[in-house]
Amino acid sequence: MITKEFDTITAIATPLGEGVIDIVRLSGKEALAIANRVFQGKNLEAVASHTLTYGYIIGPQTQKILDEFMVSVMLAPRTFTRENVVEINTHGGIAVTNEILQLLLRQGARMAEPGEFTKRAFLNGRVDLTQAEAVMDIIRAKTDKAMNVAIKQLDGSLKSLITNTRQEILTKSILTTRIRRRGRDDYLTPEGKDARFCQSLVQPFAHSQT
């Protein structure tokens, strides 16, 4: 049985309402195949990655044109979720956007749970937990300062700080333990401190702790 983590998911990626453009996103192994079944235009499975293609969206049973639109095709692994991603850029409007979403669901996609695109990015190694949290912080930011803090977290600054701090603590912890067991003089050079020597003590243990 295929678990939910491997389903092809879909959701409206923009605030639902009246506007110039709404985006309906698909992510998963079957994203291109599902989009192709409702797309009238080029074969989406044959277009280059990270390109826009013009066409129409149709009901497979009725052959009725629902809208004309641009569709973005982005192939794994160079996407946010590291899965195949299709984004349908349709004219903004509650009725047409909902109809497109329902059409994709009827073709085999599953409705994405809140935050599931970011969850997949985490499960597929695209972001770590600190970066996943930063995505929501950016969305919710109401000031420039809050946004800038979240952006720094998203680019990996917090992850680097945590990693470096962890390494420093690990280094000191292992060195302290060995000094207690075998004596201070065995682990200090005549100059008093030797960073390279300390690092040689830590290296065999660092990988086992990850």
Side-chain angles (χ1 to χ4, degrees):
M1 179 178 178
I2 299 177
T3 64
K4 291 172 64 176
E5 281 73 19
F6 296 97
D7 293 343
T8 295
I9 56 175
T10 186
I12 299 171
T14 48
L16 189 59
E18 295 182 1
V20 178
I21 295 293
D22 276 335
I23 297 175
V24 183
R25 179 180 296 149
L26 281 160
S27 179
K29 185 177 180 180
E30 298 299 318
L32 294 174
I34 291 173
N36 246 346
R37 291 198 285 270
V38 301
F39 181 68
Q40 187 178 80
K42 292 182 179 179
N43 178 6
L44 296 179
E45 295 182 276
V47 303
S49 181
H50 293 75
T51 58
L52 285 168
T53 302
Y54 171 79
Y56 296 90
I57 193 160
I58 60 171
Q61 284 75 36
T62 65
Q63 294 299 302
K64 175 185 176 182
I65 294 177
L66 298 179
D67 195 14
E68 62 174 346
F69 65 96
M70 301 291 289
V71 58
S72 308
V73 172
M74 293 164 280
L75 301 180
R78 293 172 53 221
T79 69
F80 179 64
T81 60
R82 285 193 172 168
E83 300 174 330
N84 289 340
V85 171
V86 173
E87 291 187 345
I88 297 171
N89 300 266
T90 182
H91 290 107
I94 296 174
V96 65
T97 306
N98 271 325
E99 182 61 30
I100 292 171
L101 177 63
Q102 293 304 315
L103 189 58
L104 297 175
L105 293 173
R106 290 195 293 271
Q107 296 304 310
R110 173 175 63 78
M111 188 69 184
E113 298 173 355
E116 190 166 3
F117 291 101
T118 303
K119 175 185 176 183
R120 291 196 173 195
F122 168 70
L123 291 175
N124 291 325
R126 173 63 175 76
V127 297
D128 63 18
L129 283 176
T130 63
Q131 292 169 312
E133 184 181 58
V135 172
M136 185 55 67
D137 291 341
I138 291 174
I139 294 171
R140 292 176 174 172
K142 292 181 172 58
T143 65
D144 289 344
K145 183 176 181 180
M147 182 182 68
N148 290 334
V149 169
I151 289 174
K152 288 182 179 179
Q153 184 171 329
L154 182 61
D155 70 12
S157 298
L158 181 58
K159 177 184 177 181
S160 297
L161 176 61
I162 293 173
T163 300
N164 292 338
T165 302
R166 175 184 178 277
Q167 184 67 26
E168 183 178 351
I169 293 172
L170 185 61
T171 300
K172 292 180 179 179
S173 175
I174 292 174
L175 183 59
T176 300
T177 299
R178 290 199 166 189
I179 288 174
R180 287 176 176 174
R181 288 179 178 176
R182 299 187 59 181
R184 179 176 180 274
D185 293 340
D186 289 342
Y187 293 96
L188 295 178
T189 65
E191 292 75 21
K193 294 182 180 179
D194 188 336
R196 286 178 298 176
F197 187 74
C198 292
Q199 183 63 29
S200 70
L201 294 176
V202 174
Q203 198 63 38
F205 295 89
H207 296 296
S208 65
Q209 296 292 324
T210 58

